[in-house]
Amino acid sequence: MNSSRDIERLRALSGIKWKRWDDDVIPAWVADMDFATAPAIVDALRQMVDSSDFGYNLTSFDDSIPKLWADWSERRFGWRPDPERTRVFSTTLQPIAVALSIATSPGDGVVLFTPVYAPFFGIVEKAGRELVEYKLDQTEWRIDIDALRAAITPGTRAMVLCNPHNPSGRAFDASELAAVAQIAEEFDLLVISDEIWQDFVYLGAEHIPFASLGPEAWSRSVIVTAASKSFNLGGLSCAVAHLGSPKVAKGVAELPPHLLGGINALGAHATHAAWEHGEDWLATTTQTLRANRDHLMARMAAELPEVHVATPEATYLAWLDFRDTSVAADPAKYLLESGRVGLSPGPDFGVAGAGFARVNFATSVEILDEIVDRMVTTLRNGPRT
Ligand SMILES: Cc1ncc(COP(=O)(O)O)c(C=O)c1O
């Protein structure tokens, strides 16, 4: 692939990833991939555009999308969500905010497994809920049942899990998820599990939907996911949530009509095409991402051994630990200003992210090499001139 032509194409897109900084910066931050989406999705959207198919046609999606997700999840993860308990939402974050507002009250504690995807903090805090931080250990990013239990406060009512976990790239294993389920039962907590990264789990690990753990986990959980991460459709806004918790299911059913808005037909058709015809494309893309991950890890180990990083089991993100380097105070700022490479700053993921930065490796290997070259050169030789 011609890297400069590829970069020109990416800069011409309207998305935030390549528009955020000046043209001399290579962005590796927000979780969009630099790849075109599956041809089946492009064909479906093109057909709509070519025939101006933008009329009111939405209600059938309420049935068809939950069924397609149920088939997808059963086939890939061995868990069949109940379509009757599944609702289509606009984004993955929307049902997290909705479930918390239904199942908890202002002042209640909500556990986040930190560091974690930045918008979770706003969802908890802007709703007037109390942030209860469970800090994952900072080398293996594993969930430990005793440490989790110790983090729970008397006012805690819910946990928001991110599985697979952004930014560490962990795909939590059966024993860790069983620990979460046990603590939820002990303290009578709602578990909201964000599983938007479900499809990018690499050989040696597996995605285990939280609600698949058993009837108890099923009925005290809300599972949220989408086709958007797997198929690079972040701007098309279509997601699903499995409302296992009867309280949340009832609360959602009782919301005033139109409060949550409708479903965007483009997003719905794209989701259809993804879950009906996208699996081969996804398999190839996952192989590419795994090769990128291995390439990144090999170069980091060889050329920047002082930057520690656990090999991500999942996602296309790597969580870089700069605490043993001279740029520990603010690695993302230094690398942006001096190296012209745009990573996500660790503190965006909570106080546990100090000294870290997140890199997105869903790009061509040429661009990935440029990202690593810039990090290496800047850390070794100082600012680019
Ligand atoms: C864990 C997690 N949840 C949710 C989202 C965003 O999903 P949506 O745009 O559907 O709200 C992202 C995007 O990177 C994410 O990493």
Side-chain angles (χ1 to χ4, degrees):
M1 191 180 304
N2 179 324
S3 161
S4 55
R5 202 166 338 121
D6 202 25
I7 287 177
E8 220 173 288
R9 175 187 71 81
L10 291 162
R11 287 223 165 91
L13 301 175
S14 66
I16 190 175
K17 186 177 183 185
W18 284 82
K19 282 280 186 280
R20 177 167 177 189
W21 289 299
D22 290 342
D23 279 0
D24 63 335
V25 174
I26 301 286
W29 63 297
V30 68
D32 279 324
M33 298 191 275
D34 287 343
F35 313 134
T37 190
I41 296 174
V42 176
D43 287 347
L45 294 176
R46 185 172 290 128
Q47 230 174 359
M48 291 183 73
V49 171
D50 286 348
S51 53
S52 276
D53 183 13
F54 308 131
Y56 287 111
N57 62 351
L58 305 180
T59 48
S60 64
F61 296 137
D62 297 340
D63 294 327
S64 59
I65 289 178
K67 285 199 188 95
L68 283 172
W69 176 43
D71 292 345
W72 180 267
S73 176
E74 185 171 29
R75 199 162 63 238
R76 295 175 64 85
F77 317 121
W79 174 62
R80 186 167 185 84
D82 179 355
E84 299 294 319
R85 293 294 277 267
T86 301
R87 190 188 189 286
V88 184
F89 285 83
S90 121
T91 64
T92 310
L93 293 174
Q94 187 185 40
I96 299 178
V98 169
L100 281 181
S101 80
I102 290 169
T104 67
S105 304
D108 284 351
V110 178
V111 178
L112 297 185
F113 296 66
T114 66
V116 79
Y117 181 55
F120 285 7
F121 294 95
I123 287 178
V124 171
E125 287 164 1
K126 286 270 167 135
R129 273 54 171 176
E130 196 72 36
L131 169 64
V132 178
E133 255 196 284
Y134 167 57
K135 290 194 180 111
L136 295 165
D137 83 86
Q138 296 209 305
T139 47
E140 294 187 2
W141 314 100
R142 291 189 59 81
I143 296 172
D144 172 77
I145 190 163
D146 295 325
L148 177 57
R149 186 181 286 110
I152 308 297
T153 61
T156 301
R157 296 285 174 270
M159 301 195 258
V160 182
L161 184 65
C162 183
N163 179 42
H165 184 252
N166 170 6
S168 73
R170 281 295 321 287
F172 295 122
D173 67 26
S175 68
E176 292 171 285
L177 293 173
V180 175
Q182 188 181 323
I183 296 295
E185 202 176 333
E186 268 176 49
F187 293 89
D188 192 20
L189 309 177
L190 172 73
V191 178
I192 302 172
S193 185
D194 178 336
E195 304 190 356
I196 197 170
W197 288 99
Q198 63 191 12
D199 291 311
F200 291 138
V201 178
Y202 305 110
L203 206 66
E206 62 175 327
H207 173 60
I208 304 173
F210 182 79
S212 72
L213 295 182
E216 175 71 29
W218 194 102
S219 62
R220 61 168 67 253
S221 67
V222 169
I223 310 299
V224 303
T225 193
S228 60
K229 200 56 60 193
S230 314
F231 292 91
N232 218 24
L233 308 169
L236 289 186
S237 297
C238 186
V240 287
H242 183 265
L243 311 175
S245 152
K247 182 172 183 178
V248 175
K250 183 165 178 288
V252 168
E254 288 171 358
L255 287 175
H258 305 292
L259 185 68
L260 298 178
I263 306 163
N264 179 304
L266 293 167
H269 277 281
T271 300
H272 256 256
W275 283 340
E276 263 182 327
H277 306 297
E279 215 154 355
D280 288 348
W281 180 90
L282 184 63
T284 308
T285 303
T286 307
Q287 276 173 15
T288 304
L289 292 175
R290 185 175 170 209
N292 279 9
R293 176 199 70 168
D294 293 345
H295 183 63
L296 174 66
M297 290 305 120
R299 285 203 61 187
M300 293 299 295
E303 297 169 64
L304 285 175
E306 71 276 30
V307 179
H308 308 296
V309 49
T311 302
E313 298 170 313
T315 79
Y316 49 73
L317 312 165
W319 184 233
L320 309 179
D321 179 354
F322 290 87
R323 288 175 300 166
D324 283 347
T325 74
S326 60
V327 303
D330 196 342
K333 182 164 184 269
Y334 179 79
L335 287 166
L336 177 64
E337 290 176 356
S338 302
R340 312 310 284 158
V341 57
L343 309 184
S344 300
D348 286 1
F349 301 80
V351 287
F356 288 78
R358 192 191 75 178
V359 64
N360 173 342
F361 56 80
T363 189
S364 67
V365 76
E366 291 81 2
I367 294 177
L368 184 57
D369 271 331
E370 180 68 29
I371 291 165
V372 181
D373 288 348
R374 288 182 183 209
M375 290 200 289
V376 173
T377 310
T378 317
L379 288 172
R380 292 282 166 270
N381 308 333
R384 280 165 68 84
T385 48

